[in-house]
Amino acid sequence: MSTKGQEDPGEDCASRVGAESPSSDMKRAAAKKLIELYFYQLTKGCGNPQCDNQNCASSGKITNLTPNQAAAQAIQLFSQEARLCDGTQPSKVARTTLEPGPASLTKSLPVKNVNAACSEEGKSEPYLTEARLMEIIEKCKSEGSYSLLIRTLGEVFSRGEALSRSFQKTSKADSPLAALLDKAPDSLLRPPGDLSKEAVRSLQGEDKEEDSSDPSPVVPSDDDTSVDLPAVRRSFAALWSLPGEAFESALVNALVTLADNIELELRVFNTIPSDSMDSLLNVFLIVFEIPTLANLEYLDLALHMLCKAVSCFPILAQAKLARIWAKHCKPRLPSILQALQELITVKVIGGSFTRDYCVQDADTITAPTKVMKILYYASMLSGDLDGPELIPDEESDNSVDKVARRSITSQIPQDPLAKELGLSALDARKPFIPFTDFYNEPLSDAIEMDKDFAYYKSEEPMKFSFMNYAFILTPATKTLGLYYDNRIRMYSERRMSFLQMVVGQPTHPYLRLKVRRDHLIDDALVELEMVAMENPSDLKKQLVVEFEGEQGVDEGGVSKEFFQLVVEEIFNPDYGMFTTQEDTQMTWFNSTSFESDAQFILIGVVLGLAIYNNVILDVRFPMVVYRKLLGRKGGFADLEDWGPTLYRTLSELMNYTEDDIAETFMQTFRVAYKDVFGNISFHELKENGDELYVTQENKKEFLDLYADFLLNKSVERQFKAFKRGFQMVTDESPLALLFRPEEIEQLVCGSKIFDFAELEAATEYEGGYTVESEAVRNFWRVAHSLPPESQRRLLQFTTGSDRVPVGGLSRLKMVIARHGPDSDRLPIAHTCFNVLLLPDYSTIEKLQDRLLKAINYSKGFGML
């Protein structure tokens, strides 16, 4: 109860208004609250074990009442003005309850304090409902003073117990009583009087689903909450219709106190009791509905404190928060993500980071990143997910594949939150928020990946590594993480080779391939096959390629050309191992290939080596290949990229709703396909498939079986061998940890953005050239005027590859060096170091002539 001269924000409207001629609405509300007390007394009791009230559960004289029966009896007791025990009070929320008697209908009862740390003993815990907040707002408007609102927000939002009790739904256990009271006529709620027999009978009907002896709120399921989120949003909308200065400072200060206290408790106790987890989640579900979390005042003071508290949640609580956000807060998710992104960006830009104190050490950055991971999974849960049927069955795989899978699984730790949710980024066909919206470029640019990689490898559990939160990093930054992992493995293999030489077991410190240009494929595959058979770990050594009869020393450039030539030849349909899709010009496996499994294994090795050695290839696989490499089967949705024309046709069948589908499409479970020679072949998706027509009932089965045949079963032998070779190189790499399928495509094929302006901005100059040199300016005039195909040749001539690296051409760091005065010599390139040696040509016409000859007729390596 409030003392004289003070207004208790937890006090009910009726007690503040007083007892002056209450209206009929007030009388009705008071009667309903009194009936709630009888209901609670019948089901929970007053707590006195010596109670002698026969209408109280504590007396032991009432047993096995269902909520329906208790509701009917409560109304009867009210109509009879029966005795009500002194200690009776509802437990489901901190409701204001009423004592019996005509003179005391508007007298408020204190609510038992359940958390002494939050309020003084014997004093009621404040809480808010939508109605109460609206009333306070109206009262403050009428008085022209917001002191009551400020005081109420400060008390409720600074205390976890108070906030967790606020904005609660009506519990299921109370629903029989609440539903009746909401619809009851006034005569029913006016004592004395008897309840009609019909109403009593309807309430006393047995309802097995509602049968419970506990009238407190039903414990929410894993994806449900007791918070009335629509009411929270309406309340905040009303609150933010007021001038912000009227309450926001008080709210921010309250949130800081709230977060600080919760974080302290979680760090001290290091766990959340199961009966307290829902209350704690209620607090943060309400707080993250605040519409102005991205405002500077909240970013500076409150938001990162709230994130620190949430980051202390155990995995079970984080998983439940993700499920609730996915189910109940979808429209709110982008706003929460924006607030977290702005917080991280502000802290990165405003921070003073050094090698000794880097972004991984700043909890103002790492804490919102941890919260963003919860949001990341919530976005996937609320989007389009693939079913478990697209996860390969291990039992159907051969033993070689299972060994490879176990190897990968043992090397890459599974994210605990993903494991608890039973979810992977591979399951998300289309998340609610695009994956790219989670990238934070300022953070990605500020991270020193060598140190982050060291933290990732550290055995200390307190070391935070963004490699475990790869969703926030741009592909270019993640590529650096993969690069450090690959280089460390290469250096490790090199050290082992030197140690073996010392003890008399000479080995090669590099993976050395010597090939002839006119027998490139045969030589490369034979040598790689020998390595894979004798010592597969040698594939993790640094690759060094030598073209027979050429004098180039491989510091990277020779390897780039080697991969380029291998890809051009081996993925040519004439070679017979791969085909080209007609409508997409993409490369696919030849299901009728006569090549052995060993050949496909070696092609997988080549692709793995290209990634391992940071070489970009001119390969055009459909996205389903990368999904399959990461451990998923192809499904119907993958046909959209694999064969758009076929997908559109099948989509028409899928979306057809008439009953004459069999007569309209005349499609059976026997399908036709072309082999590499253009011959038509047939395949029955089910036994006697030619006699089974597609109908409305079985069309989904047909589409799934058809996609499974095209993308999985028809090329099962070839793809398993290809994947096995790929894993021989990448099995210990954090590739699957860092990259999603579309990012691996960028890793293999490079960026699709071909912007020479980026290259010019990132180019450096040596040997006397500057950005203002006449020859340099002429070079860029010529380069920008070239058609795209010639620009690619220029890129190939200068860097050894015509592909754009992940992150764009700015990542190449090309160097243009002066190569003597004006002369008739052609430009020369050191592709290993991206260096172009350019003579100081006197005219732009001469420069253009010499440059075009160099890029159009250059092939091979020679000594300078």
Side-chain angles (χ1 to χ4, degrees):
M1 296 290 293
S2 60
T3 58
K4 187 174 182 179
Q6 292 179 323
E7 287 188 273
D8 186 353
E11 195 174 0
D12 188 74
C13 171
S15 64
R16 286 201 301 271
V17 172
E20 355 159 301
S21 281
S23 67
S24 61
D25 289 341
M26 292 174 59
K27 290 179 181 178
R28 182 183 177 91
K32 288 169 66 176
K33 293 180 183 298
L34 185 55
I35 293 172
E36 287 179 357
L37 282 180
Y38 283 114
F39 180 85
Y40 181 77
Q41 178 179 276
L42 288 166
T43 53
K44 289 295 285 185
C46 65
N48 180 8
Q50 281 80 41
C51 180
D52 59 355
N53 187 349
Q54 63 179 358
N55 295 318
C56 179
S58 296
S59 68
K61 298 177 182 179
I62 299 176
T63 56
N64 298 327
L65 277 182
T66 68
N68 287 340
Q69 293 169 332
Q73 194 168 338
I75 297 176
Q76 286 182 324
L77 292 176
F78 165 74
S79 66
Q80 298 165 3
E81 296 188 87
R83 173 187 170 191
L84 188 63
C85 297
D86 292 339
T88 302
Q89 52 188 307
S91 68
K92 66 188 183 78
V93 294
R95 289 184 184 272
T96 301
T97 54
L98 305 173
E99 292 180 352
S104 59
L105 286 177
T106 58
K107 185 176 180 182
S108 173
L109 285 175
V111 182
K112 182 180 179 182
N113 176 40
V114 296
N115 187 350
C118 291
S119 63
E120 299 174 7
E121 187 65 37
K123 187 177 180 180
S124 63
E125 188 70 61
Y127 70 99
L128 275 174
T129 64
E130 181 183 8
R132 180 167 300 162
L133 181 61
M134 299 299 185
E135 178 200 339
I136 293 173
I137 289 174
E138 292 304 317
K139 183 179 177 71
C140 291
K141 284 181 178 179
S142 63
E143 294 180 353
S145 170
Y146 291 95
S147 58
L148 175 60
L149 176 63
I150 291 172
R151 186 165 66 252
T152 303
L153 294 177
E155 292 190 3
V156 173
F157 279 84
S158 64
R159 303 177 181 178
E161 182 66 29
L163 194 54
S164 69
R165 292 181 170 193
S166 299
F167 304 107
Q168 292 287 294
K169 297 176 184 175
T170 302
S171 69
K172 292 181 180 179
D174 282 341
S175 58
L177 175 65
L180 178 67
L181 295 181
D182 288 340
K183 299 177 181 178
D186 290 341
S187 58
L188 176 65
L189 302 179
R190 186 172 60 245
D194 293 329
L195 187 65
S196 69
K197 294 180 180 179
E198 291 78 12
V200 172
R201 276 198 299 270
S202 67
L203 284 170
Q204 288 179 332
E206 288 295 331
D207 185 348
K208 300 300 182 184
E209 292 183 358
E210 295 282 355
D211 190 10
S212 172
S213 60
D214 186 2
S216 59
V218 177
V219 177
S221 63
D222 278 350
D223 62 354
D224 213 344
T225 175
S226 62
V227 176
D228 188 351
L229 288 167
V232 172
R233 291 166 193 145
R234 291 191 299 269
S235 300
F236 284 158
L239 191 60
W240 263 267
S241 67
L242 303 174
E245 61 272 10
F247 65 89
E248 290 207 61
S249 294
L251 181 59
V252 170
N253 292 332
L255 292 174
V256 170
T257 302
L258 171 77
D260 201 31
N261 290 337
I262 291 177
E263 182 195 359
L264 180 61
E265 290 182 12
L266 290 176
R267 289 191 185 279
V268 169
F269 296 108
N270 201 30
T271 185
I272 304 176
S274 57
D275 57 345
S276 300
M277 186 171 74
D278 288 332
S279 296
L280 189 59
L281 289 175
N282 288 350
V283 170
F284 289 94
L285 284 171
I286 294 171
V287 164
F288 277 98
E289 289 292 330
I290 293 175
T292 55
L293 281 178
N295 287 7
L296 189 58
E297 188 175 9
Y298 291 86
L299 292 180
D300 279 346
L301 298 174
L303 184 56
H304 83 270
M305 296 292 293
L306 295 168
C307 290
K308 285 171 65 178
V310 176
S311 67
C312 297
F313 277 17
I315 295 299
L316 282 175
Q318 293 183 34
K320 183 162 186 178
L321 180 58
R323 293 189 184 103
I324 295 173
W325 268 349
K327 183 176 181 180
H328 299 285
C329 305
K330 282 179 66 172
R332 179 68 186 152
L333 297 184
S335 298
I336 299 176
L337 176 60
Q338 179 186 358
L340 295 174
Q341 291 281 34
E342 291 188 16
L343 173 60
I344 293 171
T345 300
V346 166
K347 297 302 180 182
V348 167
I349 294 175
S352 299
F353 300 109
T354 64
R355 289 288 295 178
D356 296 326
Y357 179 74
C358 53
V359 289
Q360 293 90 338
D361 302 318
D363 57 14
T364 55
I365 295 173
T366 59
T369 302
K370 293 176 181 178
V371 178
M372 197 184 292
K373 180 192 278 190
I374 302 174
L375 194 71
Y376 177 71
Y377 286 115
S379 171
M380 286 190 278
L381 287 171
S382 56
D384 296 334
L385 295 175
D386 282 335
E389 67 275 5
L390 296 185
I391 299 176
D393 182 8
E394 290 191 21
E395 296 302 321
S396 67
D397 285 351
N398 57 46
S399 58
V400 174
D401 286 330
K402 285 192 284 186
V403 169
R405 182 180 294 105
R406 283 198 298 271
S407 175
I408 292 176
T409 304
S410 64
Q411 294 293 331
I412 304 298
Q414 187 176 4
D415 178 35
L417 181 55
K419 184 177 181 181
E420 178 63 32
L421 290 169
L423 187 63
S424 163
L426 291 173
D427 299 325
R429 181 68 61 173
K430 186 178 180 182
F432 180 69
I433 302 174
F435 285 124
T436 52
D437 286 3
F438 286 86
Y439 296 156
N440 188 295
E441 293 189 8
L443 173 65
S444 298
D445 293 340
I447 291 174
E448 297 183 45
M449 283 305 294
D450 58 338
K451 193 159 189 177
D452 194 80
F453 180 80
Y455 283 1
Y456 166 71
K457 286 294 187 180
S458 172
E459 296 182 358
E460 293 185 39
M462 298 302 292
K463 292 292 187 182
F464 180 94
S465 170
F466 283 101
M467 287 182 66
N468 291 317
Y469 298 81
F471 58 85
I472 199 173
L473 302 178
T474 61
T477 300
K478 287 188 275 195
T479 302
L480 284 176
L482 187 66
Y483 172 81
Y484 285 118
D485 180 79
N486 294 345
R487 289 297 162 182
I488 287 173
R489 293 186 193 282
M490 290 178 184
Y491 296 151
S492 175
E493 292 292 337
R494 200 179 303 172
R495 282 199 305 272
M496 289 298 298
S497 297
F498 286 130
L499 289 175
Q500 289 173 339
M501 290 178 65
V502 170
V503 298
Q505 298 177 353
T507 60
H508 293 293
Y510 301 96
L511 172 61
R512 189 177 297 278
L513 299 180
K514 187 172 183 178
V515 295
R516 295 167 294 175
R517 280 188 181 272
D518 51 351
H519 295 84
L520 182 68
I521 301 298
D522 293 338
D523 291 354
L525 295 187
V526 166
E527 293 203 35
L528 287 174
E529 185 175 14
M530 292 177 59
V531 172
M533 291 176 59
E534 293 177 2
N535 191 4
S537 64
D538 283 354
L539 295 172
K540 296 181 175 63
K541 295 179 179 179
Q542 184 175 347
L543 177 66
V544 175
V545 176
E546 179 184 346
F547 284 104
E548 191 173 284
E550 299 183 21
Q551 298 172 312
V553 178
D554 189 7
E555 292 290 343
V558 183
S559 298
K560 290 178 186 178
E561 184 174 5
F562 163 76
F563 281 113
Q564 191 85 2
L565 295 174
V566 167
V567 165
E568 287 177 5
E569 187 166 344
I570 208 164
F571 286 99
N572 189 322
D574 296 339
Y575 202 76
M577 296 181 68
F578 295 90
T579 63
T580 300
Q581 301 291 91
E582 290 183 5
D583 50 352
T584 64
Q585 295 302 302
M586 288 187 176
T587 301
W588 187 243
F589 298 87
N590 179 9
S591 60
T592 59
S593 171
F594 298 111
E595 300 294 337
S596 66
D597 289 356
Q599 296 289 82
F600 283 97
I601 287 176
L602 294 174
I603 301 306
V605 169
V606 168
L607 186 66
L609 284 174
I611 292 177
Y612 194 66
N613 288 271
N614 201 30
V615 176
I616 297 171
L617 301 179
D618 185 12
V619 177
R620 295 198 65 198
F621 279 132
M623 188 61 63
V624 64
V625 169
Y626 303 106
R627 288 179 55 80
K628 286 164 68 71
L629 282 175
L630 290 180
R632 288 297 183 271
K633 294 165 65 176
F636 175 70
D638 292 303
L639 291 178
E640 184 175 11
D641 179 55
W642 183 85
T645 303
L646 175 64
Y647 178 79
R648 285 193 296 270
T649 303
L650 294 178
S651 295
E652 290 178 7
L653 186 147
M654 180 180 65
N655 297 326
Y656 193 79
T657 57
E658 303 298 329
D659 293 334
D660 62 347
I661 184 173
E663 294 78 10
T664 301
F665 288 90
M666 297 294 292
Q667 177 64 56
T668 67
F669 275 70
R670 184 189 189 201
V671 295
Y673 64 97
K674 282 185 180 181
D675 63 17
V676 70
F677 305 107
N679 300 322
I680 302 295
S681 300
F682 296 92
H683 174 77
E684 292 192 353
L685 300 175
K686 295 179 70 172
E687 188 176 354
N688 299 322
D690 193 32
E691 301 173 5
L692 181 61
Y693 280 87
V694 175
T695 64
Q696 290 291 357
E697 290 71 27
N698 63 20
K699 67 180 182 181
K700 185 179 186 306
E701 180 188 15
F702 167 76
L703 295 173
D704 289 341
L705 288 174
Y706 194 9
D708 186 47
F709 168 70
L710 291 175
L711 302 177
N712 304 312
K713 290 183 177 178
S714 67
V715 294
E716 185 173 18
R717 176 183 68 85
Q718 294 87 342
F719 186 81
K720 277 187 176 180
F722 173 78
K723 182 178 179 181
R724 173 61 177 155
F726 181 79
Q727 290 174 339
M728 290 173 68
V729 183
T730 62
D731 57 352
E732 296 179 347
S733 165
L735 186 73
L737 173 74
L738 294 174
F739 297 94
R740 299 187 311 276
E742 59 270 27
E743 294 174 326
I744 291 185
E745 182 188 34
Q746 289 188 47
L747 197 64
V748 173
C749 306
S751 173
K752 296 179 181 179
I753 302 174
F754 199 83
D755 187 356
F756 255 49
E758 286 186 12
L759 182 63
E760 180 180 2
T763 298
E764 298 176 356
Y765 304 96
E766 294 179 356
Y769 278 156
T770 68
V771 70
E772 298 297 331
S773 299
E774 186 66 23
V776 168
R777 292 181 4 191
N778 287 339
F779 170 82
W780 287 115
R781 290 192 191 102
V782 171
H784 289 305
S785 68
L786 294 175
E789 186 58 35
S790 294
Q791 287 183 334
R792 289 193 177 277
R793 288 199 188 101
L794 174 58
L795 200 63
Q796 168 84 42
F797 173 76
T798 309
T799 67
S801 171
D802 67 349
R803 313 300 291 177
V804 180
V806 178
L809 287 173
S810 61
R811 300 277 171 177
L812 282 178
K813 303 298 182 187
M814 192 172 81
V815 176
I816 298 179
R818 189 175 185 271
H819 191 48
D822 182 24
S823 69
D824 291 332
R825 291 186 297 176
L826 298 179
I828 297 172
H830 295 308
T831 56
C832 302
F833 309 104
N834 299 341
V835 175
L836 175 65
L837 300 179
L838 185 70
D840 194 358
Y841 298 116
S842 57
T843 66
I844 189 172
E845 292 78 15
K846 189 173 185 179
L847 185 148
Q848 182 172 6
D849 176 70
R850 298 298 185 270
L851 185 63
L852 288 177
K853 285 181 179 177
I855 66 176
N856 288 327
Y857 301 108
S858 65
K859 181 175 274 192
F861 298 85
M863 297 296 289
L864 296 180

